[in-house]
Amino acid sequence: MKKARQATLVEALIPIIFLIIILGLSLTLFKVDPQIPLLLGTVVAALIGVYRLGFKWEELENGIIQTITMAVQAILILLIVGTLIGTWILSGVVPSMIYWGLNILSPSIFLVATLLICSIVAVSTGSSWTTAGTVGIALLGIGQTLGISAPIIAGAIISGAYFGDKMSPLSDTTNLAPAMAGAHLFEHIKHMLYTTVPAYLISLVLYALIGINFAGKTLDTAQIDLIQTTLLNHFHTLSPILLLAPISVIAMVILKVPALPALLTGTVIGGVLAMIFQGASLADVMSAMHYGYESHTGVQSVDDLLTRGGLNSMLWTVSLVLCALSFGGVLEKTGMLETISSHILKFAKGTFGLVFATLMTCIFTNIVTGDQYLAIVMPGRMYKEEYEKRDLAAKNLSRAIEDSATVTSPLIPWTTCGSYMLATLGLNPIAFLPFAFFNLLSPIISLILAATGWSMEKRSSHH
């Protein structure tokens, strides 16, 4: 057996170019989900690995398994998050957060309120898509009656939705980024505060300034009233006591309880509250944990908002993660990722260069593959070793990934996120891009921190 050799740049790029083409066709022409294209890309990479580079199939299979092993914790967390969302909706926790959140509307602070409401809903559901597709649509309608232009409102909706998507432990991307970089979930979330809080505060100020022009207008709250009344009618109680569930999870995070037990406890508390406050049976709770909550209020926007959760709802994401990791695993094992990253890193001098390379690779992966998950998985695998070599903590990498891959995905019309926002809000992402302040500021602030070295923690300080 001849010894396997390192891939050349051309060989390394073939599977990636193949993937870009087949993903492009699948998402636009065939309207197929990205899983199968990823598997086909894995096949192409494996063929090159075996027949061009001289690897044995067993080695590639081990590479896939090793890569997937790194994400097993994230996959387990995702499954538990599914059960948690199910019980939190059944118990009225999520409906309460939405109900109270909608109370903070008035014309002069409409855009600020939009940002805050979308943030609350996205943090409490872990989903930017659901937030935009439900409260987002309602707010878009209300804002337009005030005479605020749709792209500006959409910018505020997207900013809030992606703030929540980025910071919520219930979000799949927030779990995937640290899994790829080798960081811990809650450490990763805390580390993101350095870039996220400044981006968020600046966005709030900008929306407040724009909003001053609309003071004194009257608010058409029919849509909001409908959502609130429907919630009140379909849940026995929406008392603030229900907020015990999220508060307990936050408390466990502060007390450094690991993610899995913390989220499982949150699920159990949700189940108990559902039985006490909503009169749910144990069977209802278990069903919500497995299959999610099904809302039948007859009001479309409320049903869309609340029909979600459950272990099953996460299986699509898990299958996508497994397919993306298989592709990444082969590229990594055959040294293709190393070939590509070493060419990029020739230009990356110092910490600033490394973070810049990370941000650009994530945004580039979003643009060419149209897939947010790949934009998290690939750069995460590519740069993990380099951050270690330079003695930088893994959470610096996971933060850079979220500051770029997660937040830019809805701004690109042909990505899964961008096309979803187009379908939901009825606006081309290019239209709201200039007003999605939070999404635009996140990568910029990430770069500023890298340039100043502030909050760029070393690995050695941990060990």
Side-chain angles (χ1 to χ4, degrees):
M1 255 324 265
K2 61 180 195 333
K3 196 182 171 307
R5 63 175 175 82
Q6 176 86 17
T8 63
L9 186 59
V10 173
E11 287 166 333
L13 288 172
I14 290 170
I16 292 182
I17 292 165
F18 171 81
L19 181 68
I20 291 168
I21 295 167
I22 188 126
L23 263 177
L25 286 172
S26 304
L27 296 173
T28 54
L29 210 61
F30 312 145
K31 300 278 181 266
V32 188
D33 288 332
Q35 280 90 328
I36 303 304
L38 278 167
L39 285 180
L40 296 174
T42 309
V43 171
V44 172
L47 288 172
I48 295 174
V50 173
Y51 292 108
R52 292 275 312 169
L53 307 176
F55 282 86
K56 293 191 183 128
W57 165 250
E58 290 72 28
E59 296 177 278
L60 301 187
E61 197 172 294
N62 284 337
I64 293 175
I65 291 167
Q66 278 168 350
T67 306
I68 290 174
T69 307
M70 305 202 58
V72 168
Q73 190 197 20
I75 289 170
L76 293 175
I77 291 174
L78 281 177
L79 296 173
I80 298 302
V81 163
T83 66
L84 178 130
I85 293 169
T87 65
W88 279 18
I89 296 175
L90 181 67
S91 61
V93 171
V94 172
S96 296
M97 290 170 103
I98 294 165
Y99 179 83
W100 299 105
L102 291 174
N103 283 340
I104 53 178
L105 274 183
S106 91
S108 54
I109 59 153
F110 179 79
L111 291 170
V112 170
T114 297
L115 179 70
L116 293 172
I117 291 166
C118 289
S119 304
I120 292 168
V121 175
V123 169
S124 56
T125 59
S127 168
S128 51
W129 288 27
T130 310
T131 305
T134 51
V135 205
I137 292 176
L139 290 165
L140 191 61
I142 297 162
Q144 285 174 295
T145 60
L146 286 176
I148 306 176
S149 87
I152 299 177
I153 308 166
I157 292 166
I158 299 285
S159 289
Y162 277 84
F163 163 78
D165 196 318
K166 189 178 161 195
M167 297 307 290
S168 172
L170 310 187
S171 155
D172 45 11
T173 52
T174 311
N175 282 287
L176 191 57
M180 289 302 97
H184 295 291
L185 173 64
F186 292 133
E187 276 201 355
H188 161 66
I189 292 176
K190 271 192 268 188
H191 200 53
M192 283 198 293
L193 292 170
Y194 291 107
T195 53
T196 305
V197 171
Y200 196 75
L201 293 176
I202 296 168
S203 305
L204 269 177
V205 171
L206 292 172
Y207 291 125
L209 291 172
I210 298 174
I212 293 170
N213 304 324
F214 303 99
K217 300 266 180 93
T218 48
L219 204 55
D220 170 28
T221 54
Q223 188 75 39
I224 295 292
D225 293 342
L226 177 66
I227 293 178
Q228 287 189 314
T229 331
T230 311
L231 289 173
L232 279 178
N233 292 341
H234 283 83
F235 289 88
H236 291 300
T237 172
L238 293 181
S239 109
I241 299 174
L242 293 167
L243 299 181
L244 271 176
I247 290 166
S248 61
V249 172
I250 294 166
M252 285 185 278
V253 174
I254 294 169
L255 296 170
K256 301 209 179 337
V257 175
L260 273 168
L263 295 168
L264 258 173
T265 311
T267 304
V268 173
I269 294 173
V272 172
L273 292 174
M275 294 196 274
I276 299 173
F277 288 99
Q278 310 300 345
S281 66
L282 184 59
D284 294 335
V285 172
M286 290 171 75
S287 169
M289 285 172 73
H290 192 158
Y291 304 105
Y293 180 85
E294 270 194 50
S295 173
H296 301 290
T297 61
V299 178
Q300 187 67 45
S301 57
V302 176
D303 290 344
D304 286 347
L305 196 51
L306 298 184
T307 300
R308 54 180 282 114
L311 189 77
N312 278 10
S313 70
M314 289 296 180
L315 296 177
W316 188 93
T317 304
V318 169
S319 70
L320 182 59
V321 170
L322 291 174
C323 295
L325 291 175
S326 302
F327 182 67
V330 174
L331 291 191
E332 190 163 16
K333 191 68 187 178
T334 53
M336 295 183 197
L337 278 187
E338 203 188 324
T339 301
I340 297 169
S341 61
S342 64
H343 277 80
I344 297 172
L345 290 168
K346 279 178 193 161
F347 305 100
K349 302 279 177 268
T351 304
F352 176 81
L354 182 57
V355 173
F356 183 72
T358 310
L359 298 170
M360 288 303 131
T361 308
C362 291
I363 295 170
F364 180 73
T365 311
N366 253 333
I367 292 172
V368 294
T369 64
D371 186 79
Q372 185 185 26
Y373 294 98
L374 270 186
I376 291 172
V377 171
M378 305 268 299
R381 309 305 303 138
M382 274 168 74
Y383 296 119
K384 184 172 183 288
E385 274 185 21
E386 192 63 29
Y387 276 75
E388 281 169 15
K389 267 188 218 152
R390 301 192 186 190
D391 194 35
L392 287 165
K395 57 186 175 182
N396 295 309
L397 170 58
S398 59
R399 179 175 74 186
I401 292 173
E402 287 239 64
D403 283 336
S404 48
T406 304
V407 297
T408 60
S409 56
L411 307 180
I412 302 158
W414 53 88
T415 62
T416 38
C417 298
S419 49
Y420 174 84
M421 294 306 162
L422 169 64
T424 313
L425 301 174
L427 288 163
N428 190 313
I430 299 295
F432 59 68
L433 186 148
F435 305 106
F437 301 135
F438 175 74
N439 305 57
L440 296 172
L441 287 164
S442 289
I444 295 169
I445 290 173
S446 203
L447 273 181
I448 293 171
L449 293 197
T452 57
W454 189 60
S455 84
M456 299 301 295
E457 281 187 40
K458 294 285 187 209
R459 284 176 75 206
S460 43
S461 61
H462 283 294
H463 301 299

